[in-house]
Amino acid sequence: MLNLPKEGVLSHQPIGDFITEAGAVINDATVAFQRWGEFRGDPHGKNNIVLVEHALTGDSDAATWWEGLIGPGLALDTDEWCIICTNVIGGCSGTTGPTSIHPDGTPWGSRFPATSIRDQVRAEQIFLEELGITRFHAVLGGSMGGARALEWTILFPDAMGYACVIAVSARSSAWQIGIQSAQISAIVRDPAWANGDYYSTGASPQNGLAAARRIAHLTYRGEQELDERFGTIPQAGENPLGAYRRDDQRFAVQSYLDYQGDKLVERFDAGSYVALTDALNRHDIGRGRGGLNKALASSIVPTMIVGVDTDILYPYHQQEHLSRNLGNLLAMAKIVSPVGHDAFLVETRQMDRILRNFIALTQQVPSPNELAERNGIYDI
Amino acid sequence: MLNLPKEGVLSHQPIGDFITEAGAVINDATVAFQRWGEFRGDPHGKNNIVLVEHALTGDSDAATWWEGLIGPGLALDTDEWCIICTNVIGGCSGTTGPTSIHPDGTPWGSRFPATSIRDQVRAEQIFLEELGITRFHAVLGGSMGGARALEWTILFPDAMGYACVIAVSARSSAWQIGIQSAQISAIVRDPAWANGDYYSTGASPQNGLAAARRIAHLTYRGEQELDERFGTIPQAGENPLGAYRRDDQRFAVQSYLDYQGDKLVERFDAGSYVALTDALNRHDIGRGRGGLNKALASSIVPTMIVGVDTDILYPYHQQEHLSRNLGNLLAMAKIVSPVGHDAFLVETRQMDRILRNFIALTQQVPSPNELAERNGIYDI
């Protein structure tokens, strides 16, 4: 039987030495994870596991960052489904990343190798195997989590029944690489960065990380929502219209962005931010697979695609591209919101409808494994 | 008679001590300018002057940055019109700005006061008066130049017959303030910034300025155009997919953005970049005028509004807002292009049609001054 940790409790699973797509080794890697809902079924066949993938600075605590969507009676109903969420490799919330301790007893820092979205998925696949799981019902996620869900369907098509890919593209666009590289640049230009080996210096590139987050946040939020909230209002007690420009005399939106930057600095590591942003830059479903649309066409997993109408980071035409080219499109849904990219995290009512529809479809449409079994092509 | 400089030659006109909107003084200010085409008419009445306003890092050399649009037989036909373009106050191409010499003999640096779009227009109005001009045919410009053209129509409605306002909004949006502040932040976090007084240090915040430009460029260019050009292609001879992330192993789009940053560093001053970006943050037609739409409604100058369908910096809905609320809309035109904001600079064929239409309309529709004279309300 599966030996899963207590519901909601952060747990850790060693996965051994991990070799990256580009050929480097991460020794004695560990994957942090949480689960909600009881496991039912066959860990090598039909079961009730739904794998949830977090976004760039998310973590395994999916019930918190998707509050209102995971729990008893909610769209991802933990009375029915066993939800598992892992922290991504390269992260800083329990899974091995740049802050983790290298076998030599000091933090990995600059020695932590580059990882790709495929590495994130392969690490997760090994993790599941270590838990004793080779099949699961569905994988879903948004943004970087959506990229992982999509890679799962191409890398391990037999491992899952269904996928839901939210607010992401088939590969990074040049604009995404550009704006993501601007964020990496903000961090590595911080004098405290120390080439990524700042963990023992007593300083940390907090200013660079906060600057990166401020830029990122402007790609996560729609300009209409920001404008409705802040417009050109000065921050209370400050005068951004004074006779001399001063960094401490701000518009309200500057204060809001400063807050977003500071909040991330408190909970996230700059080295992980660089590592995961670089992984996003490398996102390309087509790499080594005969090109983008050939790779998408090869997909056999029924996949639902979700996008946001005002997303400037992953514009909706990128989800339309996925929907046209995926080999097995299950459904398509559009979140309509002034919020932009983050809508998949904050438009809970719409996400509730979308996730309920997705789950319902997975119960109506046969999975490739079910079809194969019915046709007697193979059995497990 | 007007004593204008030789065609195309950079010239300088002192405008005396200039007091900013926020109450600071810029002593002995000078405005740099160029003109093309012979002046004809009455400098205090009907004449053939068309005032062209440059964008953030532009200069008075309009015939170069609008190549193909200003010259004999072109849309802004210098056989017919006298084109005048000034460098903006706060700039670094001849008009007084942070690099200029303060009365004490050292550069202004941090002592250069904050300026607004209204200051830019008032400096230009004084400049014209010093030349002996109180009326002109039309004002036009894009981006920050569009903001100036729009402020002209509200600050000095009797001074001109017509305006053409391109790829700008009635005020900064919160998103614009956010992304512009990210650029200022990139510069002031550069250790060489020295609080704006780097001119005598032997160093200059080039890295910060280049970083600012890379961010800005991603708001000037449409993501579809960038993706068509660069996609996920590695820069020639570099490998951004190696086992370790390295700053010198780039995607082609990173190299392109680096080039854009480096190119700006060669021709532009970081202090001016901060000053003018701050001026853009302060752009608000409604300030002190009973609100945005009341200010717009008060406009009497026939004004053409132009936007770009893929502009993420000044989205087209902002030009639609202007068209709905301006007191005297002359016409509206949309540039259709994957290029984004910069389309008003690079889609020459479309801009040619638009500017020819604008000039034709100015010759068909009576100006407010002409109407007032016809009705005998006042004469000049």
Side-chain angles (χ1 to χ4, degrees), chain A residues 365-376:
Chain A
V365 176
S367 72
N369 286 335
E370 284 167 341
L371 283 175
E373 283 157 23
R374 274 188 216 173
N375 297 335

Side-chain angles (χ1 to χ4, degrees), chain B residues 29-356:
Chain B
T30 293
V31 171
F33 71 108
Q34 285 167 261
R35 72 99 198 154
W36 298 264
E38 296 305 318
F39 173 79
R40 289 184 206 96
D42 175 0
H44 307 296
K46 201 168 163 60
N47 63 49
N48 72 335
I49 293 173
V50 173
L51 201 58
V52 172
E53 306 280 0
H54 69 71
L56 182 70
T57 66
D59 55 26
S60 60
D61 194 10
T64 296
W65 54 257
W66 248 358
E67 197 190 346
L69 295 168
I70 299 175
L74 298 180
L76 301 180
D77 185 353
T78 51
D79 290 338
E80 190 162 350
W81 303 100
C82 175
I83 313 291
I84 294 179
C85 183
T86 72
N87 183 218
V88 73
I89 196 152
C92 53
S93 303
T95 294
T96 306
T99 60
S100 303
I101 301 303
H102 184 273
D104 79 359
T106 64
W108 277 87
S110 67
R111 297 172 298 180
F112 194 81
T115 50
S116 64
I117 304 294
R118 297 182 194 184
D119 288 326
Q120 297 174 357
V121 169
R122 287 195 310 109
E124 197 165 51
Q125 189 267 336
I126 297 166
F127 152 82
L128 287 176
E129 268 190 359
E130 293 292 328
L131 283 191
I133 300 163
T134 55
R135 289 256 195 111
F136 52 90
H137 182 71
V139 62
L140 74 169
S143 199
M144 191 180 81
R148 290 216 291 297
L150 189 59
E151 274 289 0
W152 259 110
T153 67
I154 310 285
L155 278 172
F156 304 107
D158 301 330
M160 82 222 69
Y162 311 89
C164 183
V165 171
I166 305 166
V168 78
S169 58
R171 64 160 169 81
S172 285
S173 75
W175 195 89
Q176 286 156 2
I177 293 172
I179 202 77
Q180 286 159 186
S181 298
Q183 295 163 45
I184 291 175
S185 171
I187 294 170
V188 303
R189 279 182 294 112
D190 187 318
W193 169 245
N195 196 34
D197 294 313
Y198 54 87
Y199 299 103
S200 59
T201 62
S204 109
Q206 297 187 348
N207 292 335
L209 178 58
R213 179 62 162 196
R214 293 195 297 267
I215 298 167
H217 200 75
L218 290 163
T219 69
Y220 299 157
R221 291 288 165 148
E223 48 97 20
Q224 299 194 49
E225 184 236 1
L226 282 180
D227 205 54
E228 285 163 16
R229 287 169 69 184
F230 302 109
T232 55
I233 299 168
Q235 176 64 5
E238 300 182 22
N239 176 19
L241 302 171
Y244 294 84
R245 190 199 67 80
R246 283 174 47 178
D247 293 330
D248 61 358
Q249 301 295 313
R250 301 166 300 173
F251 291 95
V253 67
Q254 291 178 272
S255 169
Y256 166 75
L257 292 169
D258 286 348
Y259 172 74
Q260 296 297 329
D262 295 345
K263 221 170 56 168
L264 188 74
V265 164
E266 279 172 26
R267 70 175 179 85
F268 213 79
D269 170 62
S272 272
Y273 196 93
V274 168
L276 298 183
T277 303
D278 180 48
L280 269 179
N281 279 352
R282 294 168 186 237
H283 172 47
D284 187 352
I285 288 289
R287 183 166 63 246
R289 292 168 179 156
L292 202 60
N293 291 346
K294 193 174 167 195
L296 291 175
S298 74
S299 173
I300 60 165
V301 178
T303 301
M304 182 170 183
I305 300 294
V306 181
V308 184
D309 61 347
T310 55
D311 192 339
I312 65 164
L313 184 56
Y314 291 97
Y316 194 70
H317 69 80
Q318 295 179 341
Q319 289 91 57
E320 291 175 327
H321 169 262
L322 282 171
S323 77
R324 283 194 303 275
N325 289 285
L326 265 178
N328 197 350
L329 182 70
L330 181 65
M332 176 112 187
K334 183 194 272 188
I335 304 168
V336 177
S337 167
V339 166
H341 184 65
D342 268 0
F344 80 94
L345 293 170
V346 301
E347 293 286 14
T348 306
R349 190 191 60 79
Q350 291 184 59
M351 280 309 301
D352 176 83
R353 300 312 309 158
I354 287 167
L355 293 179
R356 284 183 195 275

Side-chain angles (χ1 to χ4, degrees), chain A residues 68-230:
Chain A
L69 294 169
I70 299 175
L74 298 180
L76 300 180
D77 186 353
T78 52
D79 290 338
E80 190 162 351
W81 302 102
C82 175
I83 312 290
I84 294 180
C85 184
T86 72
N87 183 218
V88 73
I89 196 150
C92 54
S93 303
T95 295
T96 304
T99 61
S100 304
I101 301 303
H102 183 272
D104 79 358
T106 63
W108 277 87
S110 66
R111 296 171 298 180
F112 194 81
T115 51
S116 64
I117 303 294
R118 297 182 194 183
D119 289 325
Q120 298 173 356
V121 170
R122 287 195 309 110
E124 198 165 50
Q125 190 266 337
I126 297 167
F127 152 82
L128 287 176
E129 269 190 357
E130 293 291 329
L131 282 191
I133 300 163
T134 54
R135 289 256 195 112
F136 52 92
H137 182 71
V139 61
L140 74 171
S143 199
M144 192 180 80
R148 291 215 291 296
L150 189 59
E151 275 289 1
W152 259 110
T153 65
I154 310 285
L155 278 173
F156 304 107
D158 300 330
M160 83 222 69
Y162 312 88
C164 182
V165 171
I166 306 167
V168 77
S169 58
R171 63 159 170 81
S172 286
S173 74
W175 196 89
Q176 287 156 1
I177 292 172
I179 202 77
Q180 288 159 184
S181 299
Q183 296 163 44
I184 291 175
S185 171
I187 294 171
V188 304
R189 278 182 294 112
D190 187 319
W193 169 247
N195 195 33
D197 293 313
Y198 54 87
Y199 300 103
S200 59
T201 62
S204 105
Q206 297 186 348
N207 292 334
L209 178 58
R213 179 63 162 195
R214 294 195 296 269
I215 297 168
H217 200 75
L218 290 164
T219 69
Y220 300 158
R221 291 288 165 150
E223 49 97 20
Q224 299 194 50
E225 184 236 0
L226 282 180
D227 204 55
E228 284 164 16
R229 288 169 70 185
F230 302 108

